[in-house]
Amino acid sequence: METDALINSYLDLNLLVLTGTLLWLAARKLLSHSHLAHAFGAQLRLMNALTLLLALSPFMMFAFTHLVMAHPPNLSDLLVSQFLQGNVSMSATSFETLLGLREDTVRVLSSQQLLWTRLLTTALAIGGLICAAQLASSVYRLRRALKRSFIWKNIGGTQILISDETPVAYSTRGLFSRYVVLPSPLLTRPQDLKLTLAHELQHFRQRDIECEVLLELLRPLLFWNPAFYLWRREVRLLREFACDQALMARPGLDIRAYCECLIRACAQAAQERVFFTRRSPAVALVDRRETRRDSTLQQRIIAVTAQEPHGETGFGWALVSGLMVASVLATAMLMQRPGDWSHDRLMLSTIVNLERMASRNAAPSSQVVARDILQGSFMPTGR
């Protein structure tokens, strides 16, 4: 793949994450006024699917443009069409400059001739390498923590481990194995043990570990993008809401006991912050935010007591999911590069040339130069 194609794919990924985040925030705002506001399980499944779609969209568009349609409809051609119809109040020269801004930027970045392009590339490379090193270090710490734990039992192919080092339970996985790590003091509290184990096993049912792996792999590419961290925060918050709500739907589970278990786990984690040294990918019973801000834990407890919507919601969620997926794919397609010179682009180029000629003719000195040039080419000279 050429350098400009790599740069365009990188820009597309970051722009898609920004677009997806804005679309999700708008959808969540609308859902908050409907009976789907507390359907956390369905929201989480949609977020997980969108996370995978956003990660794969640049590759999907690359395959689409090379195997299906070389030049799909794009935003640039649509804007040119609107300009020619008189719907854009801008000079042709300024409009053409605006349309070519991205292509010019990509060209400058790929050439690496200017100092700021070299500095920017170096900063992005260093930031990505630091994030990759952090990920490798956290995976190493996680493997070391698993080796220091003791196998207690095996439930459905998931190894339940007991650790004397961790104050909070968490779940993780390898390529072929799944693990739930429990702090040893939980063995003296049977009710908390039962609730904590049920919570961590629910994360596997929701595919939360796999989604966390994907988010960690994307971080070296998106570390500078604020939309990525906002998206990740939404995913992590929703996964806990969905997990808590799924447990509350089980018959015989005491809501009060579960909330008290969360509070005790948060208090224990707040006393031993060393637990939050990077160990990824893993999903804990409580996370760092809940030890620093009471509001996050409060949101979880409120979500636990919220009633899951009853009745038929499948059609509503199918409609919301379809619109979100279609919006992301449409955005990915509209961001593709324009093709060869079309009729509309030739018209725009002609208008730009006429506009430039008119601006030159407005100055007397330019008039003389233009006449001299034309006389030297094909205009007859006076005798």
Side-chain angles (χ1 to χ4, degrees):
M1 189 181 294
E2 298 179 357
T3 304
D4 58 344
L6 286 173
I7 296 175
N8 278 315
S9 296
Y10 182 75
L11 292 176
D12 286 348
L13 177 60
N14 280 273
L15 290 173
L16 278 173
V17 170
L18 175 61
T19 303
T21 302
L22 295 177
L23 286 172
W24 168 251
L25 293 178
R28 190 187 65 175
K29 185 67 174 179
L30 293 175
L31 290 174
S32 64
H33 301 289
S34 71
H35 68 289
L36 301 176
H38 296 120
F40 299 123
Q43 293 180 36
L44 177 66
R45 288 191 293 272
L46 176 58
M47 286 286 284
N48 288 343
L50 288 175
T51 301
L52 181 61
L53 180 62
L54 290 173
L56 295 179
S57 288
F59 303 100
M60 294 170 60
M61 288 299 103
F62 180 82
F64 182 80
T65 54
H66 283 75
L67 301 177
V68 180
M69 183 184 297
H71 304 296
N74 58 81
L75 182 61
S76 180
D77 288 342
L78 292 177
L79 290 176
V80 170
S81 176
Q82 291 298 311
F83 178 84
L84 295 178
Q85 294 176 22
N87 297 326
V88 179
S89 57
M90 184 183 295
S91 68
T93 304
S94 301
F95 183 73
E96 187 183 51
T97 302
L98 181 62
L99 283 183
L101 182 62
R102 172 165 172 169
E103 294 299 327
D104 293 340
T105 303
V106 171
R107 192 179 304 110
V108 171
L109 288 173
S110 61
S111 65
Q112 291 289 295
Q113 293 180 353
L114 300 179
L115 176 62
W116 71 267
T117 61
R118 293 193 292 270
L119 292 176
L120 178 61
T121 303
T122 302
L124 290 175
I126 292 175
L129 289 174
I130 290 175
C131 291
Q134 289 177 344
L135 176 59
S137 176
S138 62
V139 170
Y140 170 75
R141 290 193 185 99
L142 179 62
R143 288 176 58 86
R144 188 173 61 180
L146 292 177
K147 289 181 179 180
R148 292 181 178 179
S149 303
F150 308 96
I151 298 178
W152 182 41
K153 60 174 63 176
N154 194 300
I155 300 178
T158 302
Q159 294 186 26
I160 311 300
L161 307 178
I162 303 297
S163 173
D164 295 327
E165 299 177 353
T166 177
V168 178
Y170 62 91
S171 51
T172 186
R173 68 165 303 151
L175 292 177
F176 307 104
S177 303
R178 300 185 300 181
Y179 307 95
V180 172
V181 181
L182 303 173
S184 55
L186 268 182
L187 297 177
T188 62
R189 304 196 301 271
Q191 188 175 35
D192 283 2
L193 176 63
K194 177 183 176 181
L195 294 172
T196 301
L197 188 56
H199 178 98
E200 295 305 324
L201 291 176
Q202 180 64 28
H203 280 307
F204 288 115
R205 298 186 184 95
Q206 296 176 173
R207 301 290 182 182
D208 292 334
I209 313 301
E210 289 80 0
C211 185
E212 185 66 20
V213 171
L214 181 58
L215 289 172
E216 288 295 322
L217 291 177
L218 287 174
R219 193 164 65 90
L221 298 174
L222 303 169
F223 71 92
W224 61 274
N225 193 338
F228 168 72
Y229 295 99
L230 183 57
W231 181 273
R232 187 178 66 173
R233 189 191 70 178
E234 290 291 313
V235 171
R236 289 177 173 177
L237 197 60
L238 264 181
R239 79 165 56 129
E240 298 303 331
F241 288 170
C243 189
D244 296 339
Q245 191 176 71
L247 293 182
M248 293 304 100
R250 298 183 184 181
L253 197 144
D254 189 348
I255 296 180
R256 180 184 178 89
Y258 185 76
C259 293
E260 290 176 349
C261 178
L262 289 178
I263 294 172
R264 281 192 292 269
C266 186
Q268 183 66 25
Q271 296 174 5
E272 302 183 44
R273 298 296 181 87
V274 68
F275 166 73
F276 292 109
T277 303
R278 289 186 177 275
R279 297 177 185 175
S280 298
V283 177
L285 177 64
V286 295
D287 62 16
R288 186 193 299 267
R289 295 168 304 166
E290 293 160 359
T291 65
R292 293 185 301 187
R293 296 195 298 269
D294 295 336
S295 59
T296 306
L297 181 60
Q298 182 181 3
Q299 290 176 15
R300 282 188 66 178
I301 294 177
I302 293 175
V304 164
T305 59
Q307 292 294 326
E308 188 175 6
H310 297 288
E312 184 61 36
T313 60
F315 175 76
W317 269 114
L319 180 62
V320 173
S321 301
L323 288 175
M324 290 290 292
V325 171
S327 299
V328 171
L329 291 177
T331 303
M333 183 174 294
L334 289 174
M335 288 193 303
Q336 299 307 301
R337 311 288 81 72
D340 297 330
W341 286 94
S342 62
H343 179 267
D344 286 350
R345 287 190 170 272
L346 289 174
M347 288 287 293
L348 176 63
S349 179
T350 302
I351 296 173
V352 170
N353 290 331
L354 291 174
E355 196 174 81
R356 289 171 178 170
M357 290 176 64
S359 64
R360 290 174 181 174
N361 291 335
S365 59
S366 298
Q367 262 188 5
V368 176
V369 174
R371 181 175 177 82
D372 292 342
I373 294 175
L374 292 174
Q375 284 181 345
S377 54
F378 58 85
M379 289 186 64
T381 57
R383 297 184 182 275

